[in-house]
Amino acid sequence: MKKVCYIIVFALAILLGSLAAVKAQEQTEETGDVVLKATPYNKTALFTSSEEVRYRLQLHNNTKQQQNGRVLYQVTTDDGKKVTADSVQISLREGGDKDIIVNIRKRNTGFYRINFIVKLPEYDDTVRRVFGVNPEKVTSQLHKPKDFDAFWKQSKVELAQVPANYRVLERKDLSTQYKKVYSVEMHSFGDLVIRGWLVVPTDGSKFPVHYRVPGYVVSLQPNMDNDDFIAFDLNVRGNGNSKDVINIGTDNYSLINIENKDKYIYRGVYMDCLRGLDFLYSHSNLGIDTSKIFVEGGSQGGSLALITAALDKRVKLLTMQVPLYADIHDNFAISASYEQQVFPFKVFRKYQSQHAGFSWEKFYSTFDYYDPQNFAPMVKCPVLMGIGLLDQFCPPRCSMALYNHISSTNKEFVCVPNSTHEVNFNYFMFQNLWLREKFRIP
């Protein structure tokens, strides 16, 4: 009964967050003189190159007068190149409704932006959507330095030379009848101290492990939501309770030593994630089943999870959502077409504009060692990935290029068509079932 309760609580917590996002989306679309709802015929908004792309447009007149005008639709590539445009005349009586079917001829592999624009004499509004064609055939070039493998092999050697000096402290003030909470501390790459949280259920001897790594400058807290896993949440350097040495905020975190590949912040961060696995393997006495460790993260954490699985075969399963920095070269090209810059290239472009000697060639000479895409072929374990088609931080083309480079033959992805830099409740419910099946948890 207790397990069922925890699953219900976990599901409700995710559902409430999802409903809040849905509410915000509904408010965006349901205000204005004329409401337009755009629904793809394939609910994931993913099509094949052999089928037409079709949308159903549902219009509602919120006003108390006749409305005459047009609905325009404009299709571009995901980097802003024009593909096609057309319009349809509309006439809506007071409080009236109208359905329009938009057919777009077959498209080549890739992702496309489609904007639906309501234009009336005294009102206009735009609904922005993205659709994909043959996402599992999206390709990209690997910009992998010749000494990439040697660089990361040496990084692991240097990590192994640092004594971990683990400290584990039971936090009775945070523990419950059903969960023991421990604060954990360890020395990592460069002898820097990092910390995290371990939560162990009390009603068993051994449990699989949910190893979570953080998003961009995110503070992970003890995870009390799942009764079937030990939860290990690691705050890498500069995140959460690992900020005592590096604590410079979101605008500068990804720029620390960006001009030096050997000292770039993410070299230590990636090694922190491996040191977290070292901790788990050295503390099986706490009920850790080291044969069943899965690593998870979203955004920066999604990429950290993938890189952890790539560099260390002790990871048995990988789940990631909206992986940040994937395919950084194509991300650069796509982000250049945005009306307003967003993270991460908002930060990188600002730095480049303020440092005359810092060219994009110099940027890539460092970042090519850290692009998650270059680690993808090293991932052999089962993988589940979730993406949002409206994500500008992590464009879907880049996420799918990363996914398609993964070597594992046991991989799946879930697409959420109307989400930005997030997934939704249905994704997490599917992930929960996927994990239970892989680990044979009843």
Side-chain angles (χ1 to χ4, degrees):
M1 181 64 181
K2 183 174 60 137
K3 291 187 178 183
V4 172
C5 290
Y6 270 100
I7 292 171
I8 291 173
V9 169
F10 176 62
L12 285 175
I14 298 171
L15 178 58
L16 288 173
S18 178
L19 289 177
V22 170
K23 183 70 173 177
Q25 179 69 25
E26 288 174 347
Q27 289 174 346
T28 299
E29 293 188 354
E30 293 186 1
T31 57
D33 292 348
V34 172
V35 177
L36 186 153
K37 181 179 180 182
T39 306
Y41 267 62
N42 290 358
K43 66 179 182 179
T44 60
L46 300 178
F47 300 85
T48 68
S49 56
S50 63
E51 62 184 329
E52 283 189 325
V53 176
R54 304 182 73 194
Y55 275 82
R56 178 189 179 193
L57 307 185
Q58 297 168 276
L59 296 116
H60 174 70
N61 184 1
N62 266 339
T63 71
K64 295 183 179 181
Q65 59 186 16
Q66 179 86 10
Q67 295 286 354
N68 299 307
R70 293 183 299 157
V71 174
L72 295 79
Y73 64 89
Q74 301 170 340
V75 181
T76 68
T77 60
D78 58 358
D79 55 0
K81 297 180 179 66
K82 183 178 177 180
V83 174
T84 188
D86 206 344
S87 66
V88 178
Q89 294 288 334
I90 58 169
S91 179
L92 291 168
R93 60 179 175 78
E94 173 189 344
D97 299 295
K98 185 177 183 65
D99 277 16
I100 299 172
I101 305 301
V102 170
N103 295 303
I104 301 162
R105 68 179 180 84
K106 302 170 185 177
R107 305 307 318 170
N108 295 327
T109 294
F111 286 88
Y112 299 84
R113 304 176 199 168
I114 182 167
N115 293 342
F116 299 102
I117 306 165
V118 178
K119 293 195 73 71
L120 303 171
E122 298 180 356
Y123 176 80
D124 66 83
D125 193 17
T126 301
V127 174
R128 305 178 190 276
R129 293 289 181 261
V130 170
F131 66 87
V133 177
N134 296 338
E136 291 177 276
K137 294 183 179 180
V138 169
T139 59
S140 64
Q141 180 181 350
L142 290 179
H143 298 270
K144 189 174 179 179
K146 291 182 179 179
D147 63 341
F148 179 89
D149 294 332
F151 178 83
W152 289 108
K153 182 178 180 180
Q154 178 59 30
S155 300
K156 292 171 70 174
V157 168
E158 292 181 27
L159 174 67
Q161 292 171 349
V162 177
N165 296 329
Y166 301 114
R167 294 182 62 192
V168 181
L169 175 66
E170 183 179 352
R171 289 288 303 271
K172 293 186 178 180
D173 57 319
L174 300 176
S175 300
T176 70
Q177 177 184 353
Y178 304 110
K179 300 284 179 70
K180 282 187 177 182
V181 178
Y182 301 88
S183 64
V184 301
E185 180 179 294
M186 64 204 80
H187 290 243
S188 185
F189 190 81
D191 204 28
L192 191 144
V193 174
I194 59 173
R195 301 177 181 87
W197 301 97
L198 188 74
V199 179
V200 182
T202 58
D203 62 343
S205 57
K206 276 194 176 294
F207 291 89
V209 180
H210 176 186
Y211 177 22
R212 186 167 59 172
V213 286
Y216 187 75
V217 196
V218 166
S219 178
L220 293 181
Q221 302 298 326
N223 180 358
M224 309 292 284
D225 290 331
N226 201 316
D227 200 40
D228 295 309
F229 291 86
I230 286 175
F232 179 48
D233 288 67
L234 181 70
N235 284 309
V236 298
R237 59 192 64 200
N239 288 247
N241 55 355
S242 300
K243 284 185 176 180
D244 42 355
V245 175
I246 300 170
N247 186 9
I248 63 172
T250 57
D251 288 345
N252 296 305
Y253 184 82
S254 61
L255 299 175
I256 300 174
N257 295 322
I258 185 65
E259 300 189 42
N260 185 330
K261 68 179 176 61
D262 296 315
K263 296 182 179 180
Y264 187 40
I265 179 68
Y266 280 107
R267 189 180 190 195
V269 168
Y270 293 1
M271 292 299 98
D272 291 347
C273 296
L274 301 193
R275 179 52 36 110
L277 283 173
D278 294 338
F279 167 78
L280 292 172
Y281 265 76
S282 63
H283 288 78
S284 59
N285 60 300
L286 294 176
I288 294 169
D289 183 349
T290 56
S291 71
K292 294 181 178 180
I293 295 175
F294 89 91
V295 62
E296 179 191 23
S299 188
Q300 173 190 268
S303 290
L304 295 184
L306 175 134
I307 290 158
T308 305
L311 292 175
D312 200 317
K313 303 312 175 190
R314 292 178 293 183
V315 172
K316 305 307 179 186
L317 301 175
L318 162 64
T319 66
M320 58 179 173
Q321 307 92 41
V322 294
L324 188 65
Y325 302 133
D327 188 9
I328 201 72
H329 287 258
D330 280 355
N331 193 330
F332 173 83
I334 293 169
S335 66
S337 69
Y338 296 159
E339 294 177 5
Q340 294 183 329
Q341 283 300 292
V342 300
F343 187 84
F345 273 100
K346 180 179 181 179
V347 172
F348 295 145
R349 283 189 167 94
K350 181 179 179 181
Y351 182 89
Q352 193 270 342
S353 70
Q354 295 175 344
H355 295 76
F358 186 68
S359 65
W360 289 114
E361 289 75 15
K362 177 65 176 175
F363 170 79
Y364 291 124
S365 72
T366 294
F367 214 95
D368 283 347
Y369 287 88
Y370 297 91
D371 187 340
Q373 180 176 254
N374 290 333
F375 294 85
M378 301 160 65
V379 176
K380 308 295 183 182
C381 68
V383 178
L384 175 64
M385 180 181 76
I387 63 171
L389 283 190
L390 303 183
D391 193 347
Q392 290 189 315
F393 296 176
C394 307
R397 187 216 302 183
C398 299
S399 296
M400 287 307 305
L402 169 77
Y403 175 88
N404 292 337
H405 280 296
I406 292 172
S407 293
S408 173
T409 57
N410 187 346
K411 59 183 181 180
E412 301 177 63
F413 75 96
V414 174
C415 172
V416 185
N418 294 338
S419 284
T420 53
H421 191 53
E422 60 188 356
V423 288
N424 62 7
F425 173 72
N426 289 337
Y427 167 83
F428 284 107
M429 291 300 291
F430 178 77
Q431 175 179 285
N432 183 49
L433 294 173
W434 185 86
L435 290 167
R436 298 175 78 86
E437 177 186 353
K438 297 298 183 187
F439 279 158
R440 298 292 187 264
I441 299 173

